[in-house]
Amino acid sequence: MKNFKHYIALITIIIAFQANAQTFKTANDYLTFISDQQELVTKNMWKYTKAVAHSKSPRSISGKRNTLLKSMQRGITKIEKAQGFEGDDYKNKVLTHMRLNENLLKQDYAKIIDLKEVAEQSYDFMEAYILAQELADKKMAEAQEQYEKDFYAFAAKHNINIIESESDLGKKMKISNQVFDHKNDLYLVFFKVYINEVYLWEAIETGDINAIQQNSNALKQTATEGLEILKEQKLYKNDKAIVVATKATFDFFIDEATNKIPQLTDFLILNEDLKSIKATLDKTPEKKRTKAQIDGFNKKVKAVNKKLDAYNKTNNALNLARQKVLNRLNNTNANFLSRHIPKD
């Protein structure tokens, strides 16, 4: 009796599977079904990865990542349940491709999000983030290229005429990666200089004169070296836009370190002198304070106030000029990508 019941249950499972599993009468129907499932997921994943690359807060789009994962998993399930056409060889190749993308989304891009959150802290962190992004993009492009080879091979085997065009996603990915490689190469050249200005202003905020001088010298040196690197930089389709905008930024940094920071340092040194004089005066009982001490303190206050006005003017001018060159560079990068990355 137990064997009979098991036999009945097995028949029920098989019938249920056959009722749910999608079948196809022609190779063309099967190819259309597979490509519809795969291409929708891959296109959405490509858009997501570019959104991560551009977003200032990639975790803010984590909801999109979860939605994409669910969409990808639904597509995998549909293909798994569908019967293969003349065996499961092509079906399994497609599933391998989709699972690779699923793994990229679960692991590689999760790592990329973590790296991006600390990328601005140092050149090494920024380099690690960009390299991880490029590696993931290349894995995706290579997987897409293999998928398309399998796609055209299946079509050829079954005499299905496919018109190959530049609109194929694999070609778009390849071009996009070349565009991003150029942009990222130049961004690393920029960031190696820029991070020195970040350290410089941290030193200014704390009033550390030695650190200011060290970081100011480092900024001038790396910006000068950066200009030489730009002269040798290979261009993408002879587009000089990012190189020109980056050069303008380096010119600003060199002028800042050479001409403006000494003006700020003069005030900070004078202000430290004032603090020292005041500390000495405060320790001296009021009845024992000499006229020379008081006159020296008042003279120093006037000098500090005069330098303070110059300090504020220089600081404000630097902030405006910096914002201008950085906005120009950011806009240039965005426009460069818009010009050269293939449209959907």
Side-chain angles (χ1 to χ4, degrees), residues 102-316:
E102 181 186 21
N103 188 60
L104 278 171
L105 196 59
K106 282 182 175 179
Q107 298 184 29
D108 291 52
Y109 281 96
K111 177 183 177 183
I112 286 167
I113 288 174
D114 290 339
L115 286 171
K116 185 162 188 176
E117 290 198 340
V118 298
E120 298 287 339
Q121 295 178 12
S122 74
Y123 176 80
D124 288 342
F125 287 165
M126 179 59 72
E127 185 178 41
Y129 159 69
I130 287 178
L131 290 177
Q133 179 80 47
E134 290 179 346
L135 180 60
D137 286 352
K138 284 178 173 59
K139 283 182 183 179
M140 195 192 310
E142 288 169 0
Q144 179 65 20
E145 184 178 353
Q146 184 59 51
Y147 163 78
E148 289 178 5
K149 286 180 180 178
D150 296 335
F151 174 86
Y152 286 113
F154 182 89
K157 178 181 177 181
H158 296 280
N159 297 315
I160 300 171
N161 185 32
I162 304 293
I163 300 175
E164 190 172 356
S165 71
E166 287 299 317
S167 64
D168 287 346
L169 188 56
K171 291 185 176 65
K172 288 183 179 181
M173 287 182 176
K174 186 175 182 179
I175 293 170
S176 295
N177 282 340
Q178 291 171 352
V179 174
F180 270 97
D181 283 349
H182 178 70
K183 180 256 184 188
N184 289 340
D185 286 347
L186 282 169
Y187 188 79
L188 279 177
V189 174
F190 158 77
F191 193 81
K192 187 174 185 178
V193 179
Y194 170 75
I195 195 66
N196 287 288
E197 205 220 17
V198 173
Y199 298 150
L200 170 61
W201 280 92
E202 287 176 354
I204 291 173
E205 289 295 321
T206 61
D208 187 334
I209 303 301
N210 288 332
I212 291 171
Q213 291 174 340
Q214 289 173 4
N215 287 296
S216 180
N217 291 337
L219 177 62
K220 183 178 179 180
Q221 180 181 339
T222 54
T224 302
E225 292 170 353
L227 289 175
E228 294 303 312
I229 293 172
L230 292 179
K231 291 178 183 178
E232 305 298 324
Q233 182 67 43
K234 293 182 180 179
L235 302 177
Y236 181 81
K237 292 191 174 180
N238 205 35
D239 191 328
K240 299 179 181 179
I242 300 181
V243 169
V244 171
T246 305
K247 180 182 182 301
T249 307
F250 290 172
D251 288 338
F252 162 78
F253 288 146
I254 291 172
D255 178 64
E256 177 184 37
T258 304
N259 302 313
K260 304 302 190 298
I261 296 302
Q263 297 176 32
L264 303 184
T265 306
D266 285 347
F267 165 76
L268 293 173
I269 292 173
L270 198 63
N271 196 47
E272 284 300 311
D273 289 344
L274 176 61
K275 289 178 181 178
S276 178
I277 292 172
K278 186 177 185 304
T280 301
L281 196 63
D282 289 342
K283 290 178 182 177
T284 304
E286 196 169 327
K287 291 181 180 180
K288 293 185 178 181
R289 294 175 185 173
T290 66
K291 185 176 183 300
Q293 280 181 310
I294 295 172
D295 288 346
F297 174 75
N298 289 334
K299 184 179 179 181
K300 188 68 69 172
V301 168
K302 289 180 180 179
V304 167
N305 288 336
K306 186 177 179 180
K307 285 285 186 181
L308 176 60
D309 184 56
Y311 177 93
N312 288 334
K313 286 181 179 179
T314 300
N315 197 13
N316 290 337

Side-chain angles (χ1 to χ4, degrees), residues 6-21 83:
H6 177 72
Y7 178 69
I8 295 295
L10 183 60
I11 291 176
T12 303
I13 291 171
I14 292 172
I15 291 173
F17 175 80
Q18 290 177 337
N20 291 325
Q83 290 186 355

